[in-house]
């Protein structure tokens, strides 16, 4: 019979810990979103420290090996709506022959790049900005003053536990870890989009027609390998014959739960091997080899914050304008289903597609035809401000306040990168603003973003 007793606990003795860094701004999370926040703040003169649990910057673009950024243009290819550090990094990779540019109106990819080259380029970007960098460092807990104000965060790494003291904090953890541990209001969507483990494979060109039939092969042979129905896509790494494949589907895990995340990582690698077994059986003469696995899952969704405004799918699909817009996007609504195979794509022109492995694409409309269509959408600053948290905290990244349909569009990297830049610039303005992040003038914020290269 299960015990009703509380789980065993061990009391950790109180102790003094050293202050290992002091800064104006502390950024938790070193994805491109977090790094871009740090760089924009540093370029405006702030002292910035950035904390990253892995060994490099880039997040999904590097450690998860997703080597695609989407278009920087509106859906018609007539207006550039994204610039800033995303465009700067693309140009830097271009000088090294590490990126391929696709058509402006390509809905699936604007750029494909070499994730390993991106790691080095992001190191250079951080070094040039003069950031304090803490790799292999885990955020542990917020540290509050007697008055309840966030004054520092506890971190831990090979050197032990220490504190980073700062005036302002940017939560770019992807899971709103800082906001949640501060007791800010957070929530999980009813439909958490499933995760994907990518893989880099050599010998893809030797598969023959099996490569083009991967969806059909998974539909036919996947059940024998314990594979769920999936949606497969991929790209060659620029300048090589190595193929980045995204074809796994890890359902039902909450990335903010350590045990579930552990299960997801193991399951993702198992599915990669199963897919390779299916391909080898279909093309026994192919010279297919596994070159690399990601050091983290490709996570699409986790914990969200509650903010003064939740961006909705209607806002996105109608291209609604906001006075406090800090990011623009044209990527389609892209729903990876938990409850059925495949994905649904919903476009700003009113059309819709349903893709499932091994079947023809099903096309229709999510709304009747209209004389004109929006060509991009906007993300307001308010969606980054946590309700119930201290005024010196802001978020940047996928944990912004959005409903499931809006999230399915805005979550991609070129959009989230802009939320990082906005948070970094807002931090510099908040240094001199009584009331912190919520009191920042969005007119001043938008002007400062534009002066720094953003395409608002």
């Amino acid at each position: 019979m299960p015990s009703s007793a509380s789980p065993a606990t061990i009391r950790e003795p109180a102790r003094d810990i050293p202050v290992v860094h002091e800064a104006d701004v502390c950024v938790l999370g070193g994805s491109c979103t977090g790094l871009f926040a740090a760089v924009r703040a540093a370029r405006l003169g702030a002292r910035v420290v950035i904390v990253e649990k892995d060994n490099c910057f880039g997040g999904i673009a590097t450690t998860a090996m997703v080597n695609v950024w989407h278009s920087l243009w509106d859906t018609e290819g007539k207006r550039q709506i994204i610039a800033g550090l995303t465009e700067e990094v693309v140009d830097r990779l271009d000088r090294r022959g590490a990126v391929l540019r696709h058509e402006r109106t390509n809905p699936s990819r604007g750029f494909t790049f070499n994730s390993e080259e991106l790691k080095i380029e992001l190191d250079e970007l951080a070094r040039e900005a003069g950031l304090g960098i803490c790799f292999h460092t885990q955020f542990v807990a917020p540290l509050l003053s007697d008055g309840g104000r966030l004054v520092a965060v506890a971190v831990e790494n090979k050197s032990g536990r220490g504190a980073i003291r700062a005036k302002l904090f940017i939560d770019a953890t992807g899971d709103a870890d800082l906001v949640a541990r501060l007791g800010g209001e957070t929530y999980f969507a009813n439909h958490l989009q499933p995760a994907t483990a990518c893989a880099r494979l050599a010998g893809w060109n030797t598969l023959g027609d099996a490569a083009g039939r991967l969806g059909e092969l998974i539909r036919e042979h996947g059940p024998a390998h314990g594979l769920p129905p999936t949606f497969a896509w991929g790209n060659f790494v620029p300048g090589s014959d190595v193929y980045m494949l995204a074809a796994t589907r890890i359902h039902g895990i909450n990335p903010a739960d350590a045990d579930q995340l552990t299960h997801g990582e193991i399951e993702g690698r198992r599915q990669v091997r199963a897919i390779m077994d299916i391909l080898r059986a279909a093309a026994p003469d192919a010279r297919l080899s596994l070159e690399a696995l990601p050091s983290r899952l490709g996570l699409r969704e986790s914990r969200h914050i509650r903010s003064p405004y939740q961006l909705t799918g209607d806002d996105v699909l109608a291209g609604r304008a906001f006075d406090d817009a800090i990011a623009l996007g044209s990527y389609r609504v892209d729903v990876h289903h938990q409850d059925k195979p495949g994905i649904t794509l919903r476009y700003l022109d009113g059309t819709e597609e349903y893709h499932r492995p091994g079947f023809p694409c099903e096309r229709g409309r999510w709304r009747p035809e209209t004389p004109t269509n929006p060509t991009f959408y906007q993300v307001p600053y308010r969606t980054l401000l946590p309700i119930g948290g201290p005024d010196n905290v802001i978020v940047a990244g996928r944990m912004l306040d959005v409903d499931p349909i809006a999230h399915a569009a805005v979550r991609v990297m070129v959009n989230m990168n802009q939320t990082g830049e906005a948070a970094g610039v807002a931090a510099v303005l908040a240094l001199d603003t009584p009331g912190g992040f919520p009191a920042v003038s969005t007119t001043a914020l938008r002007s400062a973003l534009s002066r720094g290269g953003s395409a608002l």
Side-chain angles (χ1 to χ4, degrees):
M1 184 173 179
S3 170
S4 59
S6 299
T9 61
I10 295 176
R11 179 173 295 277
E12 182 180 8
R15 55 173 167 159
D16 293 329
I17 59 175
V19 175
V20 293
H21 288 284
E22 297 205 38
D24 296 316
V25 181
C26 175
V27 180
L28 298 179
S31 64
C32 290
T33 298
L35 177 61
F36 289 3
V39 169
R40 287 296 290 260
R43 286 182 176 179
L44 290 172
R47 295 174 302 147
V48 184
V49 172
I50 185 166
V51 175
E52 169 53 42
K53 66 181 182 298
D54 290 320
N55 72 338
C56 66
F57 295 117
I60 297 298
T62 55
T63 56
M65 304 196 316
V66 180
N67 68 336
V68 173
W69 279 349
H70 296 98
S71 178
L72 308 185
W73 294 75
D74 71 358
T75 56
E76 295 178 342
K78 295 178 179 177
R79 174 180 173 181
Q80 185 173 353
I81 58 170
I82 302 171
L85 286 170
T86 298
E87 184 177 43
E88 179 179 328
V89 167
V90 167
D91 290 342
R92 292 168 72 127
L93 289 174
D94 204 2
R95 291 194 287 271
R96 299 199 65 83
V99 68
L100 293 177
R101 298 173 185 264
H102 302 278
E103 291 293 327
R104 294 176 180 179
T105 55
N106 187 321
S108 299
R109 52 186 58 81
F111 310 92
T112 53
F113 50 82
N114 184 319
S115 294
E116 305 309 311
E117 290 276 9
L118 178 60
K119 290 179 184 178
I120 303 171
E121 205 59 56
L122 296 178
D123 285 344
E124 290 296 295
L125 191 69
R127 182 186 58 79
E128 292 163 8
L131 304 182
I133 301 169
C134 302
F135 284 151
H136 294 294
T137 300
Q138 184 73 45
F139 161 64
V140 174
L143 302 173
L144 306 179
S145 69
D146 291 339
R149 184 168 181 78
L150 179 64
V151 294
V153 290
V155 298
E156 188 131 10
N157 56 28
K158 288 289 188 181
S159 300
R161 185 168 295 197
I164 298 175
R165 188 153 50 198
K167 299 171 184 174
L168 297 159
F169 298 84
I170 299 174
D171 184 342
T173 60
D175 304 312
D177 288 336
L178 175 59
V179 172
R181 294 182 192 186
L182 281 166
E185 189 175 349
T186 62
Y187 65 96
F188 293 93
N190 292 331
H191 171 100
L192 279 177
Q193 294 209 33
T196 293
C198 297
R200 286 203 292 260
L201 307 174
W204 187 260
N205 282 331
T206 68
L207 287 168
D209 71 344
R213 295 190 299 113
L214 179 56
E216 176 186 336
L217 292 170
I218 291 176
R219 178 172 62 88
E220 183 178 351
H221 302 289
H225 292 264
L227 291 178
T230 187
F231 175 77
W233 63 276
N235 303 285
F236 282 100
V237 176
S240 81
D241 61 357
V242 173
Y243 193 76
M244 190 288 295
L245 177 66
T248 63
R249 184 60 57 94
I250 299 93
H251 290 279
I253 66 161
N254 176 0
D257 181 284
D259 289 340
Q260 293 184 43
L261 186 59
T262 297
H263 165 75
E265 297 283 6
I266 295 170
E267 173 62 13
R269 290 190 285 267
R270 186 197 70 79
Q271 289 187 25
V272 168
R273 172 173 281 183
I275 290 168
M276 292 189 66
D277 288 345
I278 290 170
L279 285 169
R280 284 170 170 153
D285 295 329
R287 299 183 301 280
L288 190 68
S289 67
L290 180 60
E291 293 294 298
L293 287 167
S295 56
R296 70 163 79 173
L297 279 175
L299 300 173
R300 294 184 174 91
E301 190 167 16
S302 178
R303 186 188 287 122
H304 293 276
I305 66 159
R306 290 287 183 196
S307 77
Y309 184 81
Q310 183 181 71
L311 186 69
T312 68
D314 289 342
D315 292 334
V316 167
L317 290 168
R320 191 159 295 146
F322 297 95
D323 291 340
D324 62 339
I326 46 78
L328 310 180
S330 60
Y331 184 68
R332 59 205 174 187
V333 168
D334 176 359
V335 179
H336 290 249
H337 298 291
Q338 287 273 20
D339 54 350
K340 63 180 181 180
I343 66 171
T344 295
L345 304 175
R346 193 170 288 178
Y347 295 85
L348 296 180
D349 67 0
T351 59
E352 184 174 271
E353 299 173 351
Y354 175 47
H355 297 262
R356 54 180 173 152
F359 292 91
C361 170
E362 299 175 24
R363 292 183 169 85
R365 298 194 65 86
W366 61 266
R367 65 160 168 79
E369 289 191 50
T370 53
T372 59
N373 299 299
T375 61
F376 64 93
Y377 47 80
Q378 302 184 0
V379 179
Y381 175 68
R382 287 165 284 170
T383 61
L384 309 181
L385 301 174
I387 289 177
D391 63 19
N392 62 341
V393 176
I394 194 171
V395 305
R398 67 172 185 252
M399 60 278 205
L400 79 171
D401 194 0
V402 285
D403 77 6
I405 296 299
H407 178 77
V410 304
R411 64 173 172 78
V412 296
M413 288 182 274
V414 292
N415 294 338
M416 294 298 93
N417 291 351
Q418 295 172 82
T419 68
E421 295 187 61
V425 173
V428 175
L429 297 176
L431 286 170
D432 299 318
T433 303
F437 285 111
V440 164
S441 163
T442 53
T443 300
L445 172 59
R446 284 168 49 83
S447 295
L449 282 165
S450 296
R451 287 194 302 273
S454 298
L456 294 178

